[in-house]
Structure formats: C-alpha cells, structure tokens
Amino acid sequence: MILSGCGGDSNKKTTSKDELTISVGPNLVAGKFDPTIGYGVWAPDIFHSHILTVGKDNKLIFDLATDAKVSTDGLVYTYTLRKDAVFSDGKPLTAKDVVFTFEKTMKQASAADLTMLEKVVAKDDYTVAFTLKKKWSTFPYSLSEIGIVPAHAYKDGYGDHPIGSGPWRIVELKKNQQLILEPNEHYYGTKSKFKRVNILKMDEDTALAAAKSGQVDLILINGESSHTKVNGMKVLVLKTIDSFAINLPTIKETSENGEKIGNNVTSDLAIRQALNIGIDRAEIIKNALNGLGEPAYGVSSHVPWSNNIKFEDNKVEEAKKILEAAGWKDTDGDGVREKDGLKAEFTITGRSNDLDRYNTVVALAQDAKKLGIKINPKSEAWAVARKARAIPTCWTFADLNPVFYYRNYESGQIGKQVIGNSPSYNNPLVDKEIYNALNSDEVTVSYKHWINAQNLADKDVPFLYITSPSLVYFAKDGLNIPDLGKFPIRGQGISVVEYMNTWTWDNK
C-alpha cells in the first residue's frame, strides 16, 4: 500500500475514535451476503469464516481448519476444525454447519463451483471430510471462497441478514443505501476497536464532497480523481492481483441459439498479435488510470502458477508488418486498415458502473489508432457487456485461483454460465495441459501444467492483457490501515475492508 498526502478544502470534522464512516463502491451495500450463492468468490466476505483463507504472499492458510489430510488418491480432503468458532448469535460452529453450507451450495445456482464435489460428511463435531468425484487440484481454493453459514439459522432472505462467525455482524441494511456494522463479539480472531462502521453508497462526486466536508473517513475513488486535493486526507493506493483484459473472439461471426457470436476482425490472429505487441501499456495506464496500475502481459505474476510473461510492447513497426503480411492495408487513406473489404474496426464495451474499466477501453482505442485499427468504446451495463462472445469487453480477472484459467481458456467452457471462455478459444494442446493441471495430485504439482498452458495460449492472444490496476482511496489522516501482506483481488473497491477489524486510529 502507498500513502501520500493531499491538501485542499477544509476538513472540520473531529475524528471519532470508536466509529467509522466509509464509502467503498456499490457492492457492499447491495445485500445478498450469502456464501451458498457465491458471495465471497469475487470479493472478501467479512461476515463469515472459511475453512481456509488467503494469507500473506497470497498463500492458502488455515482459518477454521487446524489440520488437513489428503488421501493418497487425491479424492478425499479431511479437515479438523477449531473449537472456538462461534456464530454472531452465540451458537457454536461445528462440522454440521460445514456440511449444511456445502450441500446447500451444491443444490442451487451459485458463483461457487462445486461440480467436482461428490459429498461432504461430518466425521464428528469438529472433523469434516470432502469426497470429490474426480481429482481437482484447485479444490482447496473453493474452501477459501465459501463462508460457513449456520444450519440452525439459515432461511430465505439469509443474504440480507447473515449470521456468520467472521469479524463483523450487520446491525442494519438499507439496500443500495447504507450498511451499519458492529464487531462480532464472539469472533475468535482480532476484534475491532471500533464500535460501529457506517458504510454508505455514494457516487464519486458525492463522496468527494463528503470527504472535503469531513463527513467520511475513507472513500473509494477512481484514477481520474487521485490528484484531487482533500485537506486532512491521504491517498491510499492498494495494488491488486487482478488484470484488466479484453477478450478477443477467435472465431468468425456466426450465430448460436439465435444470438450472434464471433467477430470477423478479431478472429484474424494478425489483429490480435499486432495489438498485443503494438499497444503502449504504460501510456494507456497513464491516460486511463493516472498511472495507477502496472502493465500486464498475462496472468498476474503475483500468483505462483503464473508463467510471468513479459515482453516489449509499443513495437509499432513490427505490429504494422504483421498486419501488412496478413493483408490488412489502408488502401483508402482514412487511417483504418481493411482486408477483403472489411475494415479493421470493432467495438469494445466497458462496464458502465466501473469507470476505470471504461476509461481503459477509451485509452486503448486512442492508442490503437497508430496501428490502423479502429476501436469503438461503448459503455454498457454489465448484464449486456458480459455477453461478450461477439462484442469484446473489458474483464477484471481475479486470478488467485487457477480455476479462473480453466473457465476462460478450456474449450469445453465456451458459453458456459454466460461468461465462460468468451473468446470461444479452442486449442487442444492448451486443453490437455489444463486437464493435466486439474488432475494433479495436489495444487503445487499442478503449477507446471498451468504454466505450460499459458505458454501455449499466449501465442494465440485470446485475451489482450493491459494492466494490473490499483485500488485508490482517500483515507483520513491518522487512520491506520495495516499492510495486508498480499495483493488482494480488486472486488470493485471492497477489498480494503477485508482486514477492517485490524484498523486503528493513531494515538497522536
């Protein structure tokens, strides 16, 4: 994390020592905090405990678990649970709750994928065994994504009134407006020194005004606003493990189930390769994010299964040669190349409620002009943008769990759950390495296969990786936010609250 000072408007509010008011984007006040439908997969879950969690240096560590055993055939994972975990209603957490949580998740539509799980059984009150249908080396990551819910208190609407064993409990939720939290007095870990946290949904202009008037202690901002001066607050920059990446459909335009898929421009490998080496990532990051990000060329180098690919970009002349050799030429002098009467022109969408992603598309479009490729940026609601098999979009990949790679690159995932393998990418050699990775005896053995898959797929550029973006906040002077010791997922701004129970005010 990087902190820097700001000056500017007067900030008159006297800092309260036992209460916080923050605004970190829309998702933390949206409700549906239900792990059984996937809450916790894409953002930290501060209400529930997990069997495993992601600790320092992005490695899996014990949370509820105190011991783990894996059978020699790699199909049975057995965990011993801690005995001091208690739900916020005072009831103890036992193996029965773990079984209930995972069986519930298996039975309903969920962002949490448990298709590999055959059954989960409580061996005793504090021992639980998971039996898989087949080897699935990434399974332990699922245990860090699915929080444990109480069997005795789960009911319809649970997600808006969760009863977890994590560090925080909900006092009041006004959906899409305000969330009020208090520490869970029964939490076995570090208990917050704050008696209450008020989380507000604000657009950025409103949040900035509130910051300048001293009404908030921390707010999420986008890169554009990072140079705004706010007296009494500092800029906090949190590097993330995510990547902004554009899917580039690898098949020509056609239809499937009545919907258009494929793209006649991006399906040409020369277009994808030219963009990959020809764009200037540093310039795009500067223009879109005020420089608050790092160039990305592939899977985040901060995960142990990355191939750590890096190469020189902004090689404009080499990119032009690739296009020329493939028949893409600007014959009419309008600055846009064409081939067989087809213009090198296509649309890329950016998520309408994520300005950093949209700005990245805009900056990419500006930079691609020098190659003779015309990109039309378009802001769309995510429900529209994520249907990207014909019109590419800007994704944010939280790639700690390598199953992300399987979902986006394995040919059998094309079109699955709407967002699966959005480039319609099909490479049997990549598929083979992915299967080898998933069938490995355990996750560290799988790394070499994930790396092999990346080395093969990177040549085909089904995704154009641009940046690993930073999260940017204004934090009030004196608010002490310890370093996480890891690169968190972006979570559209929520990630900063993951260890909010460790925040303090300086004693100065």
Side-chain angles (χ1 to χ4, degrees):
M1 290 188 292
I2 303 167
L3 285 168
S4 59
C6 295
D9 295 16
S10 126
N11 196 322
K12 298 177 181 179
K13 179 186 174 185
T14 301
T15 299
S16 169
K17 296 299 183 182
D18 60 5
E19 187 170 324
L20 283 174
T21 300
I22 67 175
S23 179
V24 289
N27 290 339
L28 201 51
V29 294
K32 298 183 179 179
F33 307 120
D34 185 347
T36 71
I37 62 173
Y39 186 76
V41 173
W42 304 115
D45 179 355
I46 60 176
F47 308 111
H48 302 89
S49 301
H50 304 71
I51 293 175
L52 303 176
T53 190
V54 180
K56 188 177 180 182
D57 299 325
N58 294 101
K59 296 179 180 178
L60 288 176
I61 61 173
F62 290 156
D63 184 6
L64 289 171
T66 60
D67 185 52
K69 294 179 182 178
V70 183
S71 62
T72 54
D73 61 6
L75 294 178
V76 182
Y77 291 73
T78 303
Y79 295 88
T80 303
L81 306 178
R82 63 192 306 150
K83 297 180 179 180
D84 59 347
V86 179
F87 290 108
S88 59
D89 64 358
K91 301 290 180 62
L93 185 155
T94 69
K96 174 184 176 182
D97 300 297
V98 175
V99 171
F100 175 84
T101 297
F102 279 82
E103 287 185 342
K104 187 73 175 177
T105 305
M106 292 167 67
K107 292 175 182 176
Q108 58 190 22
S110 174
D113 180 13
L114 292 178
T115 54
M116 79 299 291
L117 184 59
E118 176 70 30
K119 63 180 179 178
V120 54
V121 176
K123 297 293 187 181
D124 58 42
D125 283 349
Y126 293 99
T127 308
V128 63
F130 298 88
T131 301
L132 307 188
K133 299 174 184 176
K134 55 186 176 182
K135 283 186 179 181
W136 198 264
S137 64
T138 66
F139 176 70
Y141 284 99
S142 298
L143 304 180
S144 72
E145 296 173 344
I146 302 173
I148 306 305
V149 303
H152 67 274
Y154 188 93
K155 57 185 179 181
D156 289 345
Y158 173 85
D160 294 339
H161 307 281
I163 299 172
S165 57
W168 296 97
R169 59 177 290 269
I170 292 178
V171 176
E172 183 180 1
L173 170 64
K174 295 180 179 177
K175 273 193 176 183
N176 300 312
Q177 297 180 50
Q178 182 180 26
L179 176 66
I180 301 175
L181 306 180
E182 289 180 354
N184 173 12
E185 62 178 321
H186 304 291
Y187 182 53
Y188 50 82
T190 301
K191 293 183 178 64
S192 175
K193 295 183 181 299
F194 296 101
K195 293 181 179 178
R196 178 168 289 211
V197 178
N198 302 305
I199 302 173
L200 305 175
K201 180 183 178 181
M202 300 178 175
D203 61 47
E204 186 155 334
D205 289 341
T206 303
L208 281 171
K212 291 178 180 180
S213 62
Q215 298 177 51
V216 291
D217 301 302
L218 179 139
I219 62 167
L220 172 71
I221 59 174
N222 59 58
E224 273 188 9
S225 302
S226 60
H227 297 313
T228 302
K229 304 300 181 182
V230 180
N231 189 48
M233 301 194 86
K234 295 179 179 179
V235 176
L236 183 152
V237 179
L238 189 64
K239 294 183 178 181
T240 73
I241 207 168
D242 290 34
S243 300
F244 281 176
I246 312 294
N247 69 295
L248 298 175
T250 59
I251 61 172
K252 289 187 176 181
E253 183 179 314
T254 183
S255 63
E256 181 179 280
N257 299 322
E259 292 191 6
K260 185 169 70 173
I261 62 172
N263 188 293
N264 290 334
V265 178
T266 64
S267 60
D268 192 316
L269 178 60
I271 292 286
R272 306 197 303 272
Q273 290 178 332
L275 283 169
N276 199 32
I277 66 168
I279 62 170
D280 186 340
R281 288 168 173 81
E283 185 67 15
I284 292 171
I285 295 166
K286 176 183 175 182
N287 291 333
L289 307 174
N290 272 337
L292 294 170
E294 299 176 343
Y297 307 92
V299 170
S300 172
S301 61
H302 303 294
V303 296
W305 54 278
S306 169
N307 68 348
N308 293 309
I309 184 173
K310 289 185 179 179
F311 51 84
E312 181 185 350
D313 63 7
N314 200 30
K315 297 170 73 172
V316 178
E317 294 308 314
E318 185 173 332
K320 288 181 177 179
K321 289 179 181 178
I322 291 173
L323 293 168
E324 291 279 341
W328 292 97
K329 300 180 181 182
D330 181 12
T331 58
D332 58 9
D334 67 350
V336 182
R337 296 175 183 271
E338 62 268 350
K339 177 181 178 180
D340 300 329
L342 176 67
K343 289 283 188 182
E345 178 179 357
F346 59 98
T347 296
I348 300 178
T349 63
R351 187 168 180 163
S352 58
N353 65 345
D354 191 337
L355 187 59
D356 284 343
R357 270 200 257 182
Y358 176 68
N359 284 348
T360 297
V361 175
V362 172
L364 169 65
Q366 182 63 34
D367 196 67
K369 289 179 181 178
K370 66 193 180 190
L371 306 177
I373 297 174
K374 184 178 180 182
I375 294 172
N376 302 309
K378 187 177 182 182
S379 176
E380 287 282 13
W382 187 237
V384 175
R386 71 189 186 127
K387 297 178 180 180
R389 293 183 63 194
I391 299 176
T393 196
C394 183
W395 301 89
T396 178
F397 283 150
D399 41 25
L400 175 63
N401 185 344
V403 79
F404 128 85
Y405 203 84
Y406 158 74
R407 291 171 180 159
N408 286 284
Y409 285 81
E410 194 266 329
S411 62
Q413 295 301 300
I414 295 173
K416 293 290 180 67
Q417 294 183 327
V418 181
I419 64 176
N421 194 337
S422 54
S424 302
Y425 180 58
N426 187 343
N427 184 327
L429 295 177
V430 172
D431 285 352
K432 181 179 179 180
E433 287 298 335
I434 290 174
Y435 302 146
N436 288 339
L438 291 171
N439 291 326
S440 296
D441 289 336
E442 53 97 13
V443 70
T444 57
V445 176
S446 74
Y447 294 163
K448 63 182 179 181
H449 297 296
W450 293 117
I451 290 170
N452 289 342
Q454 291 164 64
N455 289 337
L456 291 165
D458 286 344
K459 299 173 185 178
D460 297 328
V461 201
F463 287 92
L464 178 65
Y465 288 83
I466 298 175
T467 179
S468 177
S470 297
L471 289 169
V472 191
Y473 307 85
F474 283 145
K476 186 164 289 186
D477 290 340
L479 181 59
N480 179 29
I481 301 177
D483 194 323
L484 297 178
K486 63 178 182 179
F487 280 28
I489 62 176
R490 182 171 177 263
Q492 284 190 262
I494 299 176
S495 291
V496 72
V497 307
E498 182 172 0
Y499 294 124
M500 188 166 61
N501 55 308
T502 67
W503 296 7
T504 57
W505 286 112
D506 289 340
N507 293 322
K508 298 178 182 178

